[in-house]
Amino acid sequence: MAKEMKNIMVTGAVGQIGSELTVALRKKYGNDNVLATGHRTEPKPELRDSGPFEFINVSKRETIEEVVKKYNIDTIYHLSAILSAVGEKNPKLCWDVNMNGTYNILEAAIEHDMTRIFVPSSIAAFGPETPLDNTPQETILRPKTMYGVTKVAGELLCDYYVKRFGLDVRGCRYPGIISYETLPGGGTTDYAVAIYFEAVKNKKYTCFVKEDTRLPMMYMPDCLNAAIDLMEADLSRLKHYSDFNVTAMSFSAGELAAEIKKHIPEFTCEYEPDFRQEIADSWPNSLDDSAAREEWGWEPSYDLAAMTADMLEVLTKRHAEGNLGY
Ligand code: SER
């Protein structure tokens, strides 16, 4: 009989994706069945008060063991990671958290005979030699950032655990994720989030990539569905495990600014590229996610127009209440 996902742990639960994924998982599987874990940052009240919370350090195996035993964990969404821009400033930390963290999670999963593990990858797995447009599922993976190196190695490691130990590990290559609850922590695609907050607050934004920089992106509700649907998918249908391309839209920084201007006509955007331009230039313009569509029914709901309308509605209301949180 297939093992069940009863006691779920989320690592990186205080982060951009984790904070919202934890709440979504609690709604679906029950508040007490989803343990949120973070490293140092205090969780917001919604996260802290809706279910259990513990501090761990994923690069220290014993801290994982302690909570896995205490809560009898059988399923992990492993979201803690150092993102691309912070990773370039501190490559050692990026390797330690992303590689040793993932290794420790996989080892804990084997040790405790766990049901299923989710480990996300990223468009950062690609590099300048990868075809830029409609990037295929199977392609050249030669990233030039430490974050990207850890993502490729992580995909390979996860697939190794599937084949070698029969562990059920799944993951997708997320594009830039846009959301309003928790700000991203030091990635290259952060401009696509910051621009909305600045547009609402100051009616202007200085973007750290060039106007014509085009990247694949996704709105948070689709990001959450991708994780949850992939984890719920029938294993026998999967031909891939840890490296599914997923995308929802692609736009340039200039097109994003133009879409915001439709709602806030006085909004202006300037472009002052910094070190993150080179990282953005090494990532695809758009992705082919047909494997995810075929193997587990992936289908995004939000395009640029729908996302922008929703983001601006929420942020404008919060700003009027003095509650923008930015
Ligand atoms: N959004 C991430 C970053 O920019 C990519 O996975 O680092």
Side-chain angles (χ1 to χ4, degrees):
M1 208 181 76
K3 291 191 282 183
E4 283 180 84
M5 298 190 283
K6 279 200 200 124
N7 297 318
I8 300 169
M9 171 164 95
V10 181
T11 71
V14 182
Q16 185 197 11
I17 301 175
S19 58
E20 295 201 47
L21 183 62
T22 302
V23 172
L25 291 169
R26 283 179 175 164
K27 278 198 186 109
K28 188 171 169 69
Y29 298 103
N31 284 352
D32 296 340
N33 302 327
V34 182
L35 168 68
T37 63
H39 184 207
R40 288 206 193 105
T41 314
E42 283 295 331
K44 286 186 189 168
E46 200 193 0
L47 191 63
R48 192 190 54 217
D49 302 336
S50 61
F53 183 90
E54 299 276 356
F55 285 109
I56 63 169
N57 178 348
V58 291
S59 49
K60 294 206 166 44
R61 172 84 190 269
E62 63 279 10
T63 68
I64 300 173
E65 279 298 315
E66 210 173 293
V67 295
V68 161
K69 281 189 200 138
K70 182 171 168 190
Y71 293 88
N72 199 15
I73 296 299
D74 55 47
T75 301
I76 301 177
Y77 285 79
H78 176 44
L79 297 178
S80 56
I82 300 293
L83 295 185
S84 58
V86 174
E88 286 317 284
K89 300 237 181 256
N90 196 343
K92 265 190 199 168
L93 177 72
C94 183
W95 177 270
D96 187 35
V97 173
N98 297 9
M99 282 329 302
N100 294 331
T102 300
Y103 177 75
N104 286 337
I105 290 292
L106 295 172
E107 280 295 303
I110 296 283
E111 172 86 18
H112 296 275
D113 192 24
M114 288 195 197
T115 302
R116 205 160 297 153
I117 309 294
F118 179 79
V119 182
S121 184
S122 159
I123 50 167
F126 304 116
E129 292 109 321
T130 309
L132 278 177
D133 292 302
N134 209 23
T135 300
Q137 176 68 42
E138 317 304 340
T139 189
I140 300 163
L141 301 173
R142 297 185 65 79
K144 301 293 182 263
T145 61
M146 178 56 97
Y147 176 68
V149 168
T150 67
K151 286 294 160 188
V152 174
E155 288 179 6
L156 295 172
L157 190 65
C158 290
D159 279 355
Y160 178 81
Y161 273 68
V162 174
K163 288 273 182 298
R164 177 77 167 75
F165 302 115
L167 186 67
D168 187 349
V169 192
R170 307 175 185 195
C172 51
R173 292 174 181 146
Y174 277 131
I177 303 297
I178 293 156
S179 66
Y180 51 74
E181 287 299 347
T182 307
L183 291 169
T188 300
T189 56
D190 295 15
Y191 64 91
V193 178
I195 193 170
Y196 287 103
F197 284 84
E198 294 285 352
V200 168
K201 198 173 171 189
N202 300 318
K203 316 275 179 251
K204 60 181 183 358
Y205 179 59
T206 305
C207 184
F208 59 76
V209 297
K210 289 188 283 189
E211 187 170 4
D212 63 357
T213 303
R214 179 178 297 277
L215 287 171
M217 299 277 177
M218 186 182 289
Y219 197 29
M220 185 59 88
D222 285 325
C223 169
L224 303 181
N225 285 340
I228 292 171
D229 291 353
L230 175 54
M231 286 289 270
E232 288 281 348
D234 180 354
L235 182 63
S236 66
R237 275 183 66 195
L238 303 185
K239 297 191 198 87
H240 299 83
Y241 300 101
S242 314
D243 61 359
F244 284 101
N245 284 2
V246 287
T247 187
M249 60 189 99
S250 281
F251 51 75
S252 67
E255 286 163 359
L256 172 58
E259 190 62 35
I260 292 174
K261 230 172 146 47
K262 288 183 191 165
H263 299 261
I264 307 173
E266 62 274 41
F267 174 65
T268 56
C269 190
E270 286 173 10
Y271 302 88
E272 284 177 18
D274 66 13
F275 73 102
R276 289 167 284 192
Q277 181 68 50
E278 197 183 339
I279 302 177
D281 287 343
S282 75
W283 293 352
N285 298 331
S286 59
L287 299 183
D288 173 359
D289 59 5
S290 50
R293 288 171 187 267
E294 277 157 31
E295 293 174 42
W296 49 278
W298 161 244
E299 207 190 329
S301 302
Y302 284 88
D303 60 9
L304 175 60
M307 173 177 78
T308 300
D310 200 55
M311 279 293 284
L312 291 178
E313 191 188 324
V314 173
L315 294 182
T316 304
K317 188 162 167 275
R318 285 193 182 170
H319 189 45
E321 290 163 353
N323 194 17
L324 191 58
Y326 182 79

